[in-house]
Each structure stands twice: as C-alpha cells, then as structure tokens.
Amino acid sequence: MPVCAQGHDSADDEFCDVCGLAFDSPGPAPATATAPAPPAPVPVPEARPCPSCGAPLDGRFCESCGSDSLAPVAPAAAEPRPEGEAGPPAAAEPAGPASVVVAADRAYYDTVRAEAGPDADPVEFPPFCPERRFPLRGKQMSIGRRSVSRGIMPDIDLTGPPEDAGVSRLHALFVAEGAGWSVVDMDSANGTYVNDSRTPLKPNTPYPLAPGDRVHVGAWTTLTLSQ
C-alpha cells in the first residue's frame, strides 16, 4: 500500500485517501531551528586617570602619587584685583593636630613579634632611633619610604636610618577632612593600625583621627598626632 509524503497509508496510488496530496508532490520542508542570538557584550568601564599624575585609578586614592581623586580641583589663578578691592576669603586650614611625631615603639614591636610567631622573618628593633616631627599641612601628606626609581617621594619619609623594612614605599596618607585629619591605608603590604586595635584599616578608606591618636605602620614605627 503506497504511503504519501505526510506518512498516510492510501489505497489510491495517485492521490492520498487521507490528505489528498499527490504522490509525486514533495512534502513540506522540515522546520529548521533558529539559533539563538549571541548575548550582547558587557561593556568594560575604562580606567579613570589620576587628575594629578595621569596613572590609572583603581580606587579613590592614586597608588602612584597618593592624590585624592575626589578632592576639588584648585581654581586657576585669578587676575590681580585693583588696590583696595577685597577678594574672596581664603579656605580655612584644618583646626586639628598640627604635626605628627614619628618614633620607634617598643610595645608595638613586641605585639607584632608575638603575633608573627617564631617562624617569622626576624626584624630587629633599632638600638637607637631619634624622634622626628613632621608638620601637617595642605590637603594630604603621604607616608612611606623613598624610592627614586619609582618616583615615590613621601612627605613623611621613613627611609631612615634606621629603616623599618615593614613600611611600604607608599604606605598610607594623612588626608585633611573638615576640621581634622584622617588616615588612609594605601593597600600596604603589612597594613595600618590605629591605637590598640589589631584590626588593619580597610585600604583606600579614610579613618578619622583625633589629637593623641597613634598610627602604627611597619614592624616598629608609630606616628602620634600632636598639636
């Protein structure tokens, strides 16, 4: 018994008894599946350049020069005013601590050594390290160890001697905020700590400070905010 293109059995060999389709007519073309359209590419945001040095930014603070990308841009120099004409009032300087004292802190060193354990690389406490005082001025002060090859020249230079090898080249920043100062860890290798806390500061996040606060960096260096 002949079978038509639609699969029907038919007694007639010219036209199908079921659907009437001629046996010499081709059946309908099989449906073809449509391939799904590929997903649209996800746009990748372009890295913002640092407004000060042009290096790519990976956060608020530049890892190359330490500049704050959210700081207001300084206005262009104004034309000189005629004599006797008053200009706009100058921006007020922060009223918080005026300087920072850097010293070798034996208590902090002992805490770090106890946490590191006996298998840690030995870092000797310096037999003598004179205190150094740095004035806090401007909008920010970088903390670290000088590196001529990388172009890092910190405002608070802890190069030494003696030198605390646990301090990163660009370790942290003091940033003027409102009436005081904050400290920002610049994703340093060994972290930045405040006072007696043993929880390191979150990188690239300002932490407000008060007069007398102690900022610990490296293996034995403490910076104390002073008036």
Side-chain angles (χ1 to χ4, degrees), residues 57-69:
L57 285 174
D58 193 24
R60 172 176 171 179
F61 296 93
C62 177
E63 293 187 3
S64 296
C65 68
S67 294
D68 185 354
S69 65

Side-chain angles (χ1 to χ4, degrees), residues 92-98 136-141 174-183 206-211 213 225 227:
E93 290 291 328
L136 292 175
R137 56 195 174 196
K139 293 299 182 183
Q140 67 180 37
M141 299 281 291
F174 285 125
V175 180
E177 291 195 331
W181 291 83
S182 295
V183 64
Y207 182 94
L209 299 171
D213 278 347
L225 275 72
Q227 292 289 2

Side-chain angles (χ1 to χ4, degrees), residues 63-66 102 123 129 132 134 141-173 186 188-192 217-221 223:
E63 293 187 3
S64 296
C65 68
V102 180
V123 177
C129 182
R132 289 172 287 175
F134 296 86
M141 299 281 291
S142 56
I143 307 165
R145 292 187 295 130
R146 182 173 61 252
S147 173
V148 176
S149 61
R150 294 174 57 186
I152 297 176
M153 310 296 283
D155 301 302
I156 300 177
D157 188 359
L158 305 179
T159 303
E163 184 163 333
D164 187 341
V167 177
S168 297
R169 294 298 181 182
L170 182 58
H171 195 107
L173 295 176
M186 295 299 293
S188 60
N190 296 308
T192 302
V217 296
W220 45 261
T221 303
L223 303 93

Side-chain angles (χ1 to χ4, degrees), residues 3-170:
V3 179
C4 78
Q6 295 286 354
H8 304 134
D9 294 331
S10 173
D12 193 323
D13 59 1
E14 291 189 24
F15 297 94
C16 176
D17 293 338
V18 178
C19 63
L21 183 69
F23 279 95
D24 58 354
S25 298
T32 58
T34 304
V42 179
V44 178
E46 296 183 0
R48 296 182 297 123
C50 171
S52 296
C53 69
L57 285 174
D58 193 24
R60 172 176 171 179
F61 296 93
C62 177
E63 293 187 3
S64 296
C65 68
S67 294
D68 185 354
S69 65
L70 299 184
V73 178
E79 293 290 333
R81 293 178 173 272
E83 185 176 352
E85 184 176 345
E93 290 291 328
S99 63
V100 61
V101 177
V102 180
D105 188 335
R106 183 73 202 206
Y108 172 66
Y109 171 80
D110 291 341
T111 300
V112 173
R113 290 292 298 159
E115 291 180 352
D119 297 330
D121 293 334
V123 177
E124 298 296 332
F125 187 79
F128 175 72
C129 182
E131 288 188 350
R132 289 172 287 175
R133 183 181 293 269
F134 296 86
L136 292 175
R137 56 195 174 196
K139 293 299 182 183
Q140 67 180 37
M141 299 281 291
S142 56
I143 307 165
R145 292 187 295 130
R146 182 173 61 252
S147 173
V148 176
S149 61
R150 294 174 57 186
I152 297 176
M153 310 296 283
D155 301 302
I156 300 177
D157 188 359
L158 305 179
T159 303
E163 184 163 333
D164 187 341
V167 177
S168 297
R169 294 298 181 182
L170 182 58

